[in-house]
Amino acid sequence: MDGVVQLQRQLADHTALLFHEGFLDEQFNQLQQLQDESNPDFVVEVVSLFFEDSDRLLNELAKALEQQTVDYKKVDAHVHQLKGSSSSIGAQRVQRVCIAFRNSCEEQNIEGCLKSLQQVKHEYSLVKTKLETLFKLEQQLIAAGGSFPTL
Amino acid sequence: MGPAIDSASRVHVSGMGNGVFPVHGGGLSERNDNNNNNNKSNGHPFSCKNKLTALVVDSERVCRVLEKAFLLSFGVETEAVETGEAAVELIASGANFNLIVIDMFLPVMNGPETARQIRAMGVQSRILGITPMFDERDQQEFLAAGVDEFIEKPLSPEILIPILMELDNQI
């Protein structure tokens, strides 16, 4: 039972940090409120889609920026897609970097684009790791017979 | 659902003195029965009185899934498609919607073109143009195509509730 309380505390601390450090914003709360008994894994499912799509987009962005002649229209389209999905799940820091990325893209500034790509990859891998930890803690809590804290 | 689980969870909490989180009845069995006191609109105070219908046109998977889920959570019967062509086809086949949400960036036929074609079919629905990143030119293009409003994603309850309330009251 000690384990349950400890896990609850860990989960609360981790969640608070994710919001406090700006990895997530209010939109993620909205996502959590869509989860209910008829949709118990909604958040994990949507976030998994986000991971899949982002991994693919980041690969395509890297490829597009490696070309001799960069197709900025294509880069711009990918950046918009990433901005749309990251803002939809509340991945605030990823979506912020997307704005700078778009600006570099409009200026056809290859240096700026490459820098933005590194930043967006960095922010994405951070939020991905943190969300995976969040889900792992939730699973451990449930496995330990603990209740789910309501936000 | 079970009193056994309820009492067990109370034992956990009282046994430990102070739980870090207030554990409400049924909380123990994770999310399966944490709603025995509240319906699914928990957290969303709004639910439509009338039967409203909506169409989401978004090629971005994560956005499409979420936009549909938000609308469903407010009791709006919602369909979602990936392309403007599919939206036009659905409407041509006789489907009616109170609200149509269209993303700017769609493959082949873009958002404004989709809105224009839908309006050209005589559709009077409320149309909401959405985009991942605000851009004035996109806004002008969308408004000229006949959308009622243009907003930047994410689509959130904050944006949807006033629109749905208005549509709900018009019926």
Side-chain angles (χ1 to χ4, degrees):
Chain A
M1 275 194 251
D2 262 343
V4 170
V5 172
Q6 205 186 339
L7 277 167
Q8 281 182 330
R9 189 171 294 134
Q10 260 180 289
L11 184 57
D13 289 348
H14 184 70
T15 308
L17 199 78
L18 275 168
F19 284 94
H20 183 71
E21 296 190 348
F23 289 106
L24 298 178
D25 64 20
E26 167 60 19
Q27 184 71 11
F28 189 76
N29 283 331
Q30 301 294 348
L31 201 75
Q32 288 184 310
Q33 288 184 11
L34 289 172
Q35 184 160 291
D36 62 20
E37 80 277 18
S38 64
N39 239 337
D41 299 315
F42 185 75
V43 176
V44 172
E45 282 167 12
V46 172
V47 171
S48 302
L49 292 183
F50 171 69
F51 290 160
E52 268 178 41
D53 291 352
S54 301
D55 287 335
R56 179 181 50 80
L57 283 171
L58 289 171
N59 273 332
E60 286 181 20
L61 276 167
K63 251 189 264 167
L65 289 171
E66 270 170 18
Q67 303 301 313
Q68 286 286 340
T69 319
V70 175
D71 180 352
Y72 285 101
K73 244 183 124 176
K74 194 169 161 188
V75 174
D76 190 60
H78 291 331
V79 174
H80 273 84
Q81 284 175 288
L82 194 58
K83 167 72 164 61
S85 57
S86 56
S87 68
S88 292
I89 70 143
Q92 186 175 222
R93 284 165 55 158
V94 172
Q95 64 147 327
R96 280 199 188 143
V97 183
C98 288
I99 298 169
F101 204 156
R102 194 264 308 254
N103 293 338
S104 298
C105 196
E106 280 192 341
E107 294 162 5
Q108 308 213 338
N109 172 355
I110 186 68
E111 293 304 316
C113 283
L114 288 168
K115 199 174 143 215
S116 289
L117 177 63
Q118 288 316 309
Q119 284 174 334
V120 86
K121 273 186 172 171
H122 178 66
E123 288 299 343
Y124 168 67
S125 72
L126 285 177
V127 78
K128 186 177 181 183
T129 307
K130 301 212 180 255
L131 282 167
E132 282 167 348
T133 304
L134 177 77
F135 297 148
K136 207 169 76 193
L137 285 169
E138 287 177 351
Q139 279 170 356
Q140 285 173 353
L141 182 59
I142 290 162
S147 70
F148 226 78
T150 42
L151 286 162
Chain B
M1 295 293 216
I5 290 163
D6 275 8
S7 55
S9 90
R10 271 184 220 111
V11 169
H12 273 244
V13 175
S14 56
M16 290 314 299
N18 300 306
V20 176
F21 290 97
V23 179
H24 49 74
L28 179 72
S29 63
E30 41 138 335
R31 289 158 277 185
N32 290 325
D33 56 14
N34 62 1
N35 277 322
N36 47 0
N37 294 323
N38 295 303
N39 61 26
K40 62 193 290 180
S41 65
N42 184 18
H44 293 316
F46 173 72
S47 188
C48 296
K49 295 191 295 282
N50 297 290
K51 192 194 130 210
L52 293 181
T53 53
L55 172 64
V56 168
V57 192
D58 200 325
S59 59
E60 193 56 45
R61 180 161 73 149
V62 173
C63 301
R64 188 173 60 248
V65 167
L66 273 172
E67 286 150 9
K68 184 176 177 180
F70 278 129
L71 286 159
L72 287 173
S73 78
F74 298 129
V76 180
E77 201 176 285
T78 308
E79 289 202 51
V81 294
E82 291 176 48
T83 64
E85 289 81 357
V88 168
E89 204 176 299
L90 197 57
I91 291 164
S93 75
N96 274 310
F97 303 99
N98 300 97
L99 174 67
I100 304 175
V101 178
I102 308 176
D103 184 45
M104 180 76 206
F105 300 95
L106 300 172
V108 197
M109 188 159 83
N110 74 6
E113 184 51 32
T114 303
R116 191 173 299 116
Q117 290 202 17
I118 290 171
R119 284 291 187 227
M121 295 162 87
V123 171
Q124 304 285 312
S125 317
R126 179 80 158 256
I127 304 183
L128 183 60
I130 58 172
T131 187
M133 273 189 255
F134 184 84
D135 183 288
E136 216 161 301
R137 285 161 301 179
D138 292 346
Q139 182 178 34
Q140 281 166 7
E141 197 185 338
F142 240 142
L143 290 173
V147 308
D148 300 292
E149 266 167 279
F150 177 77
I151 60 128
E152 189 182 65
K153 287 182 186 180
L155 204 60
S156 62
E158 210 178 303
I159 290 163
L160 281 174
I161 290 173
I163 294 173
L164 293 174
M165 280 174 96
E166 220 182 295
L167 291 171
D168 202 20
N169 288 331
Q170 280 167 5
I171 292 176

